[in-house]
Amino acid sequence: MTETSISPGQDEEAAIVAAQGAHTAGEGGALGKTGFAWAWFEWARNPYYILIIIYVFAPYFARDIIGADIMASGELEGMDPETARQVAGAKGQAVVASLSKWAGAIAALTAPFLGAAFDRGLRRKPLLILFLGVLSVLSFLLWWAVPGESGFSTGTIIAILIAAYVTYTFSEVTHNSMLPDAARPSALPAVSGFGLALGNAAATLLFVAIVFMFALPDMLNWPFAEPLFGIDTARYQHFRIAGPICAVWLAVMIVPFFLYAKDTGVKGTPFFPSVKEGAAGVIRTVRKAAEYREAFKFLIARTIYADGMFALLALAAVYVSLFLGWGIVELTVYAIWASIWAAIGGVAGGWFDSKLGPKNALLMELMAIVIILFFGLSVTRDSILFGLIENRELWQAPVFSSLSDVTYLLNGALIGVFATANISSSRSMLVHIAPTHMRGEFFGLYAIAGTVTVWIGPLLIELFTTWSNSQRVGMSAIALLFFCGFAVLTTVKVSKTPAE
């Protein structure tokens, strides 16, 4: 007679499943009620990240608050005006990078425990009400981020941005943990991609509104004689208004998610015991990495290439402003343009997954991103493809009149498509490879993989720039992160269907 032994780890896994109740896979597709509701969440929330963290508020904070404070302090006296502006801008970017680092560290130390608590039956929707409510309030407070002494202090603004970043990450872990229940397993890549597409489409809509209501009336007296609603651009209100707009948008648009999204948590599950047990579970999971070898190899790969992705997305705006001399109008149009293509990329990511499988889709996307990186670095004010094609004027226009301008717009479209597709495929890959009863915990670890090594990219850029005395060679160093992530990813074994 044969006895079946159960190890302590197996016993705990069985207990987790029991705590969750009889778990069944999600039903329906991307346009089903629960799948669409899951994706709709990103339509409501993602504009905060795109407008505040990337394109509108963060550059304003670095340039017009941090940079202006440094200029006014007298610290840069004796420098010529152009050098002083460059130094002030660099210091502003350093402050933004520093607050992102601290916010990422806080999230990295806490998000996995939250994700593990969901695996123990903790309900998601009540916490999302809290997280999104806090994020909305913090976003609204950015209206009072005014240069000088008339608004919040710089320290207060930094605290708001850090708290908002951490809260955003918590909401991301919570929302991601609901993906496996949003639709049938075969439809999860499409649901994930659809969510990203909706998020970027919403950001594009808000970009267009800000440009047409405030920026263009101020610059061209068109399509209105002056900015609407009494917005005073001299007081940077067209930048600051992004915070309240994102706050109101989130509060209003999130309602369908709470009405129709599927939350498989167990009602009455206590918060603190679940988090405590989750924390212990995360520690045990990390110690038992060998038992979940493929999932951990994927998380290592993503840790590496996500750092490269972060540097690439930062490079896009920095590069065009530095090498092509683009101003606020060009950068705003570029942001809208990239967001439109990012929305397409969200759909493309789901399609790539369905045709190639998530691993092959990721490998293809990483190679495409490396090619796009070097293509972008080949563009200067004088030439394209590292001097093979001379830049020239294509037509008479106030913006985007040269071949280099148009070429970099094409590069921005490619970045939008493949960077967003990479995000979608990464989430789909984790669903395929993480054990069903531990997906929340692994999505918490997944959040770490996107933040824990954000210092490596800047360090590589610094080293290569110092060695070569060339900014383009320095920026090319981030390709090493994509190559290393690619190499680790090739060793990951993944099944054709999501893990059970």
Side-chain angles (χ1 to χ4, degrees):
M1 183 166 128
T2 307
E3 283 188 4
T4 302
S5 63
I6 300 178
S7 69
Q10 291 173 320
D11 186 58
E12 181 193 353
E13 291 172 7
I16 293 171
V17 174
Q20 288 180 303
H23 179 85
T24 57
E27 300 175 349
L31 297 181
K33 183 174 68 173
T34 56
F36 188 88
W38 188 94
W40 186 262
F41 179 95
E42 303 205 305
W43 166 273
R45 186 205 56 178
N46 287 20
Y48 174 86
Y49 190 90
I50 296 171
L51 269 70
I52 303 302
I53 296 177
I54 300 179
Y55 287 116
V56 177
F57 188 85
Y60 155 71
F61 177 62
R63 180 185 60 248
D64 298 311
I65 296 182
I66 300 297
D69 286 349
I70 293 171
M71 294 283 285
S73 69
E75 180 181 338
L76 307 180
E77 285 184 5
M79 297 182 182
D80 64 86
E82 182 60 28
T83 301
R85 279 194 295 271
Q86 291 179 4
V87 172
K91 289 182 179 292
Q93 289 181 357
V95 171
V96 172
S98 179
L99 72 87
S100 298
K101 173 191 68 180
W102 285 111
I106 295 170
L109 292 172
T110 53
F113 306 136
L114 179 64
F118 296 135
D119 291 327
R120 285 148 180 82
L122 190 65
R123 288 182 61 80
R124 281 82 159 175
K125 285 185 179 180
L127 284 175
L128 280 175
I129 292 174
L130 173 63
F131 296 150
L132 298 181
V134 170
L135 182 62
S136 183
V137 170
L138 293 172
S139 181
F140 200 93
L141 290 177
L142 295 177
W143 172 255
W144 287 276
V146 185
E149 300 180 356
S150 58
F152 289 146
S153 68
T154 301
T156 300
I157 300 169
I158 290 174
I160 290 172
L161 291 173
I162 290 176
Y165 190 108
V166 173
T167 305
Y168 185 97
T169 302
F170 286 167
S171 74
E172 184 174 31
V173 171
T174 308
H175 177 240
N176 281 345
S177 73
M178 299 172 71
L179 176 59
D181 306 310
R184 63 181 180 272
S186 62
L188 294 180
V191 173
S192 176
F194 187 40
L196 289 169
L198 285 176
N200 283 283
T204 300
L205 180 63
L206 295 185
F207 267 129
V208 170
I210 289 173
V211 169
F212 278 86
M213 290 192 300
F214 312 127
L216 290 180
D218 177 62
M219 297 182 62
L220 306 174
N221 301 117
W222 180 89
F224 308 103
E226 58 185 23
L228 298 184
F229 311 117
I231 290 297
D232 184 359
T233 57
R235 300 182 62 196
Y236 305 101
Q237 290 181 353
H238 55 311
F239 294 110
R240 293 157 46 202
I241 195 67
I245 286 176
C246 289
V248 173
W249 178 270
L250 174 58
V252 172
M253 291 295 175
I254 199 62
V255 173
F257 167 81
F258 284 107
L259 291 178
Y260 302 113
K262 186 176 181 181
D263 185 350
T264 57
V266 178
K267 188 175 182 179
T269 301
F271 176 77
F272 289 107
S274 298
V275 172
K276 183 179 179 181
E277 293 171 12
V282 169
I283 295 171
R284 283 192 294 269
T285 300
V286 173
R287 287 176 176 173
K288 297 188 301 180
E291 295 182 25
Y292 311 106
R293 187 171 182 176
E294 304 309 315
F296 271 97
K297 283 195 295 185
F298 167 64
L299 290 176
I300 291 170
R302 183 181 180 269
T303 299
I304 299 169
Y305 70 69
D307 189 23
M309 190 69 66
F310 175 82
L312 174 61
L313 295 176
L315 162 69
V318 172
Y319 186 84
V320 292
S321 63
L322 183 64
F323 277 87
L324 303 185
W326 284 5
I328 184 63
V329 174
E330 293 95 333
L331 288 174
T332 301
V333 173
Y334 177 79
I336 295 171
W337 171 256
S339 294
I340 291 171
W341 285 97
I344 295 172
V347 176
W351 187 81
F352 292 151
D353 289 352
S354 65
K355 296 299 181 182
L356 304 175
K359 176 182 173 179
N360 290 333
L362 276 172
L363 292 173
M364 181 273 294
E365 289 153 4
L366 288 173
M367 283 297 95
I369 289 167
V370 170
I371 295 171
I372 294 165
L373 165 64
F374 284 103
F375 180 61
L377 290 173
S378 78
V379 181
T380 70
R381 300 187 195 189
D382 301 318
S383 66
I384 301 164
L385 295 178
F386 300 103
L388 292 178
I389 301 175
E390 187 176 347
N391 186 29
R392 64 181 185 274
E393 292 295 312
L394 297 178
W395 44 68
Q396 293 295 322
V399 294
F400 306 121
S401 60
S402 74
L403 180 60
S404 289
D405 291 336
V406 174
T407 301
Y408 206 85
L409 278 178
L410 172 62
N411 190 74
L414 294 173
I415 290 175
V417 169
F418 285 97
T420 309
N422 179 270
I423 296 171
S424 175
S425 297
S426 295
R427 293 197 302 207
S428 177
M429 179 74 167
L430 189 60
V431 169
H432 273 71
I433 208 165
T436 303
H437 63 281
M438 299 179 67
R439 281 175 179 158
E441 187 171 324
F442 271 94
F443 268 115
L445 295 171
Y446 178 90
I448 287 183
T451 59
V452 74
T453 61
V454 292
W455 54 273
I456 294 180
L459 176 62
L460 286 175
I461 291 171
E462 178 187 6
L463 292 176
F464 273 65
T465 302
T466 302
W467 165 70
S468 65
N469 290 322
S470 167
Q471 289 180 313
R472 285 199 288 179
V473 172
M475 291 298 185
S476 70
I478 62 177
L480 292 174
L481 295 170
F482 290 120
F483 284 130
C484 291
F486 183 97
V488 176
L489 186 60
T490 59
T491 69
V492 178
K493 299 176 182 178
V494 59
S495 63
K496 293 182 180 180
T497 58
E500 296 298 335

